[in-house]
Amino acid sequence: MTNLPILTLITFVPLAGALLIAFLPRGRPDLARWAALITSLVSFVLSLLLLPAFEVGAPGFQFKEQADWIPAFGIQYKLGIDGISLALVVLTTTLSWISILASFGPIKDRVKEYMISFLILEVGMIGVFVALDTFLFYIFFEIVLVPMYLIIGIWGGANRIYATLKFVLYTLIGSLLMLVAILATAFSFQALNGGNWAGAFDYEQLRGFGFDPGFQAFAFLAFALAFAIKVPMFPFHTWLPDAHVEAPTAGSVILAGVLLKLGGYGFIRYAVPLFPDAAVTFAPAIIVLSLIAIIYGAIVALVQPDLKKLVAYSSVSHMGFVTLGIFVFQQQGLEGAVLQMVNHGVITGALFLCVGVIYERTHDRTIARMGGLAAPVPVYAALLGFFMLASLGLPGLSGFVGEFLVVLGTFDVMPGAAFVAMLVVVLSAAYLMWMFQRVVFGELSDFLRGIGHHLTDVTPVELLTLTPLVALTLLLGVFPGLILELLHGPVNDVIAAVSGGTVIAR
């Protein structure tokens, strides 16, 4: 595999599929569906081939691909992965084919355009995790905006235009500031490098370069704002519930499962290692905002009348653990943050699929109108209960391990912050179990009784989308070391950067 451009293939196979679908006849939506599914499955299989070939513990990025792109400014087409990237790439390819399969039934209009948008979205998401050139990273980071704008704006709910414009405006403002910081970083590098542009956008050369503390503060804030909006951190979270509620089911799955992770990944890969002095300076403020997000998201979820909005606010709370784990700069906390990103993607993606299943039958998400689902749809009720328990952090399921490591790492550095974060365990149990009790148990509600024969249990296709996520939730809950052993080296490098140590050559 050393001579095979495996990362390029994983990244751009979906683009080839999108081009193929563009030439398919409009009157055959079934061809577009199957072409998109097969394309995403090819990318998924290729990403799985990375797992046995990846050398755990080896220094440096692996499977590197490099070519000059704009040599006058030192901009390259440069790809590579470490353990953090690998985990997130596999998460992305997994959720992509599941989301496309989940769209077979619900998406009936403009199927060609929908599948093309989804595959281009996959290109951008994978590209973010494998890019090792800051300009290339920015291109992939921005590519994601356009297809998600279309997916929400065309195939979303009644208030979709407001939601999609809010999503784009928030993320675009942050991204443009990050572009300014990327260019400023390149100019600063070449000025300190004798006017030589070579390496001015190369992540491996920029990391550990030692920029002026004042410049670091400016650049870190610009990067951090872009990533904070994407996570999203409090108080930049207000676009998320609207986008989730209006997006089609598969859009919500990808939004929660992968797009939010672009922010967490950006902090770990770029903001902290490139500007470590500024990261340490601003860490207390970010920790406070993370704690607010953890508690606030849970409290607001507790009072939500809409099932989808409840899951959306739970994401704000759970992603608060990610930023908390990153900025305590402690081994267990940072590894827990990455693990939490993966686990949140699996569990919350599954919860949105479960919301989509019941919405397709009832065309309603109001919790008060549900009730008594256990009798007519027992398999669905069991699946919803399983992922509900995983989300609240039941030991033995994957949701427990990441949050536990974050709290453990935080306790080692800031015991008070760890205690505040632990309060969310009670709140999570409250809003999730209360939701489950109202939706699943009791007498069948009058609203559901009126639906009658439309209230059917999960179909084989729906079961096929949820079964892999059940398996992953169990597997990563019992064997979290499968992910954690990939993270030791990259996490050590980040901690070494902020502690003033020498960054391990990677």
Side-chain angles (χ1 to χ4, degrees):
M1 194 184 292
T2 54
N3 296 323
L4 186 69
I6 185 71
L7 297 182
T8 295
L9 290 174
I10 294 169
T11 305
F12 290 105
V13 159
L15 180 60
L19 293 173
L20 172 64
I21 293 171
F23 291 99
L24 294 177
R26 184 173 295 277
R28 294 295 304 278
D30 55 320
L31 292 180
R33 291 187 181 102
W34 283 104
L37 179 61
I38 291 170
T39 301
S40 61
L41 281 171
V42 169
S43 189
F44 169 66
V45 171
L46 287 171
S47 70
L48 293 183
L49 294 178
L50 295 172
L51 296 174
F54 187 83
E55 296 181 36
V56 176
F61 290 93
Q62 301 180 37
F63 310 106
K64 283 167 64 171
E65 302 169 25
Q66 189 169 354
D68 288 336
W69 183 15
I70 310 176
F73 295 101
I75 298 175
Q76 306 171 82
Y77 173 80
K78 185 175 181 181
L79 309 180
I81 60 169
D82 60 6
I84 298 172
S85 308
L86 176 60
L88 293 172
V89 166
V90 175
L91 173 69
T92 302
T93 58
T94 302
L95 290 179
S96 292
W97 75 260
I98 288 174
S99 298
I100 288 173
L101 181 59
S103 303
F104 272 32
I107 304 299
K108 298 179 174 64
D109 299 321
R110 299 180 179 177
V111 174
K112 268 183 63 173
E113 292 85 350
Y114 178 87
M115 294 302 172
I116 289 171
S117 298
F118 224 98
L119 290 174
I120 294 174
L121 177 63
E122 185 177 3
V123 172
M125 294 185 300
I126 297 172
V128 165
F129 297 134
V130 300
L132 291 180
D133 179 279
T134 55
F135 189 78
L136 182 64
F137 166 79
Y138 176 77
I139 296 297
F140 283 126
F141 196 81
E142 289 297 270
I143 283 175
V144 168
L145 282 182
V146 178
M148 184 53 75
Y149 167 80
L150 296 174
I151 288 170
I152 299 173
I154 297 175
W155 295 277
N159 204 24
R160 60 187 180 273
I161 302 302
Y162 168 78
T164 197
L165 285 175
K166 192 174 182 181
F167 162 70
V168 169
L169 287 175
Y170 264 74
T171 51
L172 190 60
I173 290 171
S175 299
L176 289 175
L177 287 173
M178 182 176 70
L179 176 60
V180 172
I182 288 173
L183 296 176
T185 302
F187 274 102
S188 179
F189 178 90
Q190 67 89 25
L192 296 170
N193 199 33
N196 185 5
W197 282 96
F201 293 89
D202 189 326
Y203 170 75
E204 291 185 287
Q205 293 197 42
L206 291 173
R207 184 179 57 184
F209 184 70
F211 293 102
D212 174 78
F215 175 79
Q216 283 196 38
F218 151 75
F220 177 84
L221 285 174
F223 272 83
L225 180 62
F227 300 144
I229 291 171
K230 210 76 165 184
V231 167
M233 290 179 60
F234 179 90
F236 309 107
H237 66 284
T238 57
W239 64 267
L240 182 68
D242 293 316
H244 269 312
V245 168
E246 300 304 327
T249 297
S252 292
V253 172
I254 287 296
L255 187 59
V258 183
L259 259 65
L260 306 189
K261 311 308 177 289
L262 304 187
Y265 176 80
F267 275 123
I268 297 169
R269 175 67 75 230
Y270 290 93
V272 173
L274 295 186
F275 317 110
D277 295 339
V280 172
T281 300
F282 292 107
I286 294 177
I287 288 172
V288 170
L289 292 177
S290 300
L291 292 173
I292 293 173
I294 290 170
I295 302 298
Y296 167 83
I299 291 174
V300 177
L302 186 63
V303 297
Q304 288 307 308
D306 184 287
L307 192 56
K308 203 173 189 184
K309 192 168 278 192
L310 182 149
V311 180
Y313 275 106
S314 77
S315 287
V316 175
S317 180
H318 288 305
M319 289 301 292
F321 278 95
V322 173
T323 50
L324 175 63
I326 293 170
F327 283 92
V328 294
F329 304 130
Q330 199 269 357
Q331 181 84 20
Q332 290 167 319
L334 193 44
E335 289 184 6
V338 179
L339 188 60
Q340 172 72 355
M341 285 198 285
V342 175
N343 293 336
H344 175 267
V346 172
I347 296 167
T348 305
L351 284 173
F352 277 117
L353 286 174
C354 289
V355 173
V357 167
I358 202 64
Y359 182 77
E360 285 303 307
R361 288 150 176 79
T362 64
H363 299 289
D364 200 301
R365 296 185 300 264
T366 307
I367 296 173
R369 303 186 75 181
M370 305 295 170
L373 283 175
V377 286
V379 176
Y380 171 80
L383 288 167
L384 179 62
F386 176 83
F387 290 113
M388 177 273 294
L389 293 172
S391 185
L392 66 80
L394 182 72
L397 301 180
S398 61
F400 169 75
V401 189
E403 291 184 3
F404 174 75
L405 287 175
V406 168
V407 171
L408 197 62
T410 304
F411 187 83
D412 188 50
V413 179
M414 303 175 68
F419 174 76
V420 173
M422 280 301 298
L423 293 177
V424 85
V425 175
V426 178
L427 291 172
S428 295
Y431 70 75
L432 286 167
M433 296 185 77
W434 188 34
M435 173 275 292
F436 188 72
Q437 181 243 327
R438 287 180 288 167
V439 168
V440 171
F441 296 122
E443 296 292 327
L444 193 65
S445 68
D446 293 336
F447 169 70
L448 294 179
R449 193 177 290 112
I451 293 173
H453 65 279
H454 294 291
L455 195 60
T456 56
D457 216 337
V458 290
T459 65
V461 171
E462 291 166 343
L463 198 59
L464 185 57
T465 61
L466 287 166
T467 301
L469 301 180
V470 170
L472 281 173
T473 302
L474 287 169
L475 183 67
L476 296 179
V478 178
F479 301 107
L482 295 173
I483 300 291
L484 293 174
E485 66 179 5
L486 301 174
L487 308 180
H488 298 324
V491 165
N492 276 331
D493 289 357
V494 175
I495 294 173
V498 295
S499 63
T502 304
V503 178
I504 301 168
R506 297 188 61 75

